[in-house]
Each structure stands twice: as structure tokens, then as C-alpha cells.
Amino acid sequence: MSDLKTQVLDATREYHRAGRDDSPFVPGTTEIWPAGAVLEEEDRIALVEAALEMRIAAGHSSRRFESRFARRLKRRKAHLTNSGSSANLLAMTAFTSHLLQDRRLKPGDEVITVAAGFPTTVNPILQNGLVPVFVDVELGTYNTTADRVAQAIGPKSRAIMIAHALGNPFEVAEIAQLAEQHELFLIEDNCDAVGSTYDGRLTGTFGDITTVSFYPAHHLAMGEGGCVLTSNLALARIVESLRDWGRDCWCEPGESNKCLKRFDYQMGTLPAGYDHKYIFSHVGYNLKATDIQAALGLTQLDKLDRFIDDRKRNWRRLREGLDGLPHLVLPEATPRSDPSWFGFALSVDPDAPFARAELVAFLEDRKIGTRRLFAGNLTRHPAYIDQPHRVVGDLTNSDIITEQTFWVGIYPGLTDEMIDYITSSVKEFVAARG
């Protein structure tokens, strides 16, 4: 059987090499995607090998990835999930657990967040019967500030949940300090920012819980996938229970009696000795990933340093190429940060002699992919208009983002030639209309 497996994997390598697209970049013809996974030979081999071994549920590869990823992000525990959205749902829901006693979040409690972002940072707040409190962000960094968060803290405030925008850290040290002073939980949505640092410290290490996404657009790809990380072992245990159907037992599927007390528990009103594998302490979900996804994650993790370096280099090349261009607000790193960039944001000045839509259409016509800065102002979307929420201050910049902002790619699959073509295209458009 091992010889046959070797033959299959050798054939997979041959298949991968035969299918490589080595055609040269053709400006205006070759698609320049704003985001995407960089998948190489060892990634395909990992997927095929996992499939050959029929590792169709969470198992050894999942545990190995969790251990390695936790060490990489300097957290004690990591729990792999089926998506970054699920990771955010688990992170927020963990703070509603009865195990937190008087500190648990209850319906009607408020969670401070930003209006300009992606829905999956806000949806878990609403899904748990909590109330989002929206604050504005800065143009250029596209993050909120500690001052705005401080102004939003009120008598019902219980938590803060904010994403690092496009890989650019928000003022996380200051906001973490606010959270500690006011006894608020802090969730860092680190889905766009793996490898970013603030004050020399990795993002994702400031909050009580952090989340990561492994959707193909992100720094590591599993196809679908996500992760919840924390150094608080009590929170980690809650996350694991919620992820795994709400079970009280911590044995993996296929394991039994790891605690040596499987038939010695008495919980709830169940009879004494009820099988611990089937005692449920939370109203949970099944949000696990599979070993096939984790196998891909492990090979991707080996390349994370290279991916981060490529993102930084591409962003810097584009930023230097567009420096000084009129009518555009260029992105800026938050002071004291070193971002592991997700994308390159551009805002058209409202007084510019052209509209954002015209610039976007020009780039798209040249096969340069663009994306909006996610939802813009979430409070203007049909899904949220009638939802309970509170707004502190105005949302002027969030509205500007809704009307004037988009981003282009800097992910590792883009070459210098592609980045330079994006630069020259933007400059050509502005010069023609300026």
C-alpha cells in the first residue's frame, strides 16, 4: 500500500507541475486579483495525502495545527473552526457562558465596535442578543481610536470587539488598557492581520480572545477555516465546548475516558454516572474544521513568513509609487505599528475632479480587481437598520468610506510587474482628469 501511495503522490507532483501557468504577465489582459491563495506543490500533496488516508474529520492534523499556530501567535490555546465567521461567533458567545458567573454577558449588554467593517465582527453581537455601539474610524488608517472608544463607554458597556482594518493595527494597547480599567472584555478580530505588530508586539496578543480566518483571501488558506485563540484556559475550555456541540467532555471523537472519570459525574438533574461524553454544559454548535483543511493549513503555515514579507513589500512598492498623487487619500500605518497588510486602500477626495466609480471602472477595465472597504457604514445596510444599536459621535468618515473608498491587492501572488501596472494605471487616470 505504501508503494501505491508513493506512486499517487508522485503522480500528483507531476500533475501539479504540468498544470502550472507560466505565461507572462500581459498588462490589461492578465487578471490582477485583489486577493487570493498562493497554493504550491506541497499544498496539493498535503491535500491529496490527507484524502488518501481518509482523514475526513478533525484529528491529528487539526491538533498539530492548533499547537503550532498557538505557539506562532504566542497564545496558550488555539481552537480550529470551519470559518473565521464561526471563530467570531464562538469568541463573542464565550463571554455569555454561565461559567463566567457575574461577568457573563447578558442580552441588552453593550459591545463597542466600529461602523466601517465586515459584518462578521458585528453579527455575533446581535446573534447573542447584545447591542452594538458604533464608533467612527480615521481616514488613512481606517481604524478607530482609543479616544473614540473611551467616549463610547457607558453604564451598559461590557465588551469591545474590533477588527484590525486591512491588516493595519488599531490602537490596541491603549484600547486594551481601557478594557482593563473598565472591566470590559476585549476581542481582537485578527482575521486580516496575522503577523502585524503594535509596539513590537503581535496583534492578537492584547485581547482576552483573538480570531483568525483562513479563507483564501487571507494570510493563510485552508479553503474555509478559522481559529479562536486565547491564553485564558477557562475561556479556551468554554470555546471548545461551544464549538463541539456544547459538550462538557473534552475527549476527542474516538477517545474515551481521558479524565478517568467518564462514569463518575453527576451534573444538572442527570442520574449519577451519566456518560460524560454525552453531558452538555452549553447550548453549542458543531463548528469544527476537518483534517483535510488542517493538512493544507500546516503547509501554508510553513510559508507564513514569506507571505508576510511579500505583502509588506508589495504594499510599500505601491505606496511609494503613488506618493504625492493628488485627489487621493493614501493609506497610512497606524503610528507605532508594523502591519502585515491585507490590502491597499484608496479614498477619492470628495472634491476631486473625478468620482470613485470612474476610477474603479477604469481599473476594472484594465483587469485590475478592486473591492470596497467591506460594508462601508454598516448602519446603512438593510440588515442593520432596524437592529438595536447605539451610535456615539458622528459616522462622517464611515460615510466617506461608503462613498469614496476601495482597495486593490497586494497579496503574495502579485509580482512587481503587476504592482507597477496598478501604480501606472492609477497615475495615468488621475493625470488625465486632474
Side-chain angles (χ1 to χ4, degrees):
M1 184 67 76
S2 61
D3 288 344
L4 185 56
K5 177 181 173 181
T6 299
Q7 292 175 30
V8 171
L9 296 181
D10 286 344
T12 301
R13 291 187 180 89
E14 184 178 350
Y15 176 86
H16 181 89
R17 293 166 186 170
R20 281 189 309 207
D21 183 4
D22 295 325
S23 55
F25 171 68
V26 180
T29 299
T30 305
E31 293 275 3
I32 301 178
W33 293 101
V38 176
L39 300 173
E40 298 168 333
E41 183 176 313
E42 60 271 20
D43 299 308
R44 192 183 295 269
I45 293 295
L47 285 172
V48 171
E49 186 171 21
L52 288 174
E53 296 177 5
M54 299 295 282
R55 302 204 306 267
I56 58 175
H60 171 73
S61 290
S62 298
R63 303 294 83 78
R64 187 170 165 230
F65 180 87
E66 288 172 337
S67 177
R68 286 186 57 192
F69 197 60
R71 289 197 302 271
R72 177 60 195 256
L73 265 64
K74 302 186 185 303
R75 300 286 82 186
R76 294 180 69 183
K77 287 287 185 179
H79 287 95
L80 195 57
T81 66
N82 59 358
S83 72
S85 304
S86 293
N88 278 356
L89 176 61
L90 288 171
M92 191 78 261
T93 306
F95 294 114
T96 70
S97 171
H98 62 280
L99 297 180
L100 298 180
Q101 300 179 345
D102 292 342
R103 288 207 69 195
R104 70 183 293 193
L105 303 187
K106 298 176 182 177
D109 286 344
E110 292 183 345
V111 181
I112 299 166
T113 190
V114 300
F118 199 73
T120 53
T121 308
V122 174
N123 290 351
I125 301 171
L126 295 166
Q127 288 159 342
N128 279 285
L130 307 168
V131 179
V133 177
F134 292 109
V135 296
D136 206 6
V137 300
E138 295 285 293
L139 296 179
T141 67
Y142 302 98
N143 282 305
T144 194
T145 61
D147 287 343
R148 285 190 174 94
V149 172
Q151 292 168 18
I153 296 173
K156 293 185 177 180
S157 301
R158 295 292 182 270
I160 302 166
M161 186 173 185
I162 303 175
H164 299 287
L166 293 178
N168 194 16
F170 58 84
E171 294 176 348
V172 63
E174 293 85 345
I175 290 174
Q177 186 175 30
L178 280 173
E180 183 177 4
Q181 290 171 353
H182 294 273
E183 297 185 332
L184 309 179
F185 294 115
L186 174 60
I187 301 173
E188 284 182 79
D189 183 334
N190 204 43
C191 291
D192 290 352
V194 173
S196 294
T197 62
Y198 188 82
D199 280 343
R201 178 175 166 184
L202 282 171
T203 56
T205 64
F206 293 84
D208 297 285
I209 286 181
T210 189
T211 59
V212 175
S213 173
F214 303 124
Y215 188 72
H218 291 285
H219 289 60
L220 300 176
M222 289 189 186
E224 300 284 354
C227 202
V228 184
L229 301 102
T230 183
S231 289
N232 184 313
L233 297 184
L235 286 176
R237 181 71 193 93
I238 293 168
V239 168
E240 183 177 48
S241 175
L242 287 166
R243 184 196 65 176
D244 298 2
W245 305 283
R247 290 196 316 164
D248 196 76
C249 177
W250 55 85
C251 288
E252 299 290 343
E255 291 182 345
S256 297
N257 207 21
K258 199 171 183 180
C259 64
L260 304 179
K261 298 193 301 180
R262 177 179 170 188
F263 299 107
D264 296 336
Y265 288 91
Q266 199 289 309
M267 302 179 72
T269 61
L270 293 168
Y274 198 85
D275 189 345
H276 191 225
K277 286 180 71 70
Y278 291 97
I279 295 177
F280 298 88
S281 53
H282 291 93
V283 178
Y285 310 91
N286 177 9
L287 300 177
K288 299 188 300 299
T290 69
D291 255 24
I292 291 178
Q293 291 169 277
L296 175 57
L298 285 166
T299 57
Q300 287 273 292
L301 188 54
D302 290 335
K303 296 178 279 194
L304 179 57
D305 286 333
R306 168 161 58 97
F307 288 166
I308 291 171
D309 288 344
D310 288 348
R311 287 176 176 275
K312 290 180 178 181
R313 185 188 68 250
N314 286 343
W315 188 94
R316 186 167 55 249
R317 189 179 186 94
L318 190 52
R319 182 63 177 77
E320 291 171 355
L322 295 176
D323 191 45
L325 199 62
H327 310 306
L328 295 176
V329 177
L330 298 183
E332 298 286 349
T334 301
R336 308 193 336 257
S337 77
D338 182 12
S340 173
W341 293 99
F342 178 77
F344 189 98
L346 290 163
S347 292
V348 176
D349 191 303
D351 296 325
F354 54 86
R356 175 202 52 79
E358 293 177 281
L359 175 53
V360 166
F362 180 83
L363 296 175
E364 293 279 352
D365 188 60
R366 292 189 166 204
K367 305 299 182 183
I368 298 170
T370 66
R371 295 291 186 269
R372 302 305 296 267
L373 186 46
F374 308 132
N377 184 347
L378 276 166
T379 67
R380 296 173 61 178
H381 286 256
Y384 304 97
I385 288 174
D386 295 326
Q387 295 287 350
H389 68 275
R390 188 162 66 89
V391 175
V392 175
D394 60 52
L395 299 178
T396 301
N397 290 337
S398 297
D399 285 331
I400 291 173
I401 289 167
T402 305
E403 304 290 344
Q404 304 295 124
T405 303
F406 67 98
W407 58 272
V408 295
I410 46 82
Y411 80 104
L414 303 186
T415 64
D416 288 350
E417 194 176 9
M418 292 174 175
I419 295 295
D420 291 344
Y421 183 61
I422 297 172
T423 302
S424 63
S425 296
V426 173
K427 292 172 77 171
E428 178 182 333
F429 175 88
V430 172
R433 287 159 178 79

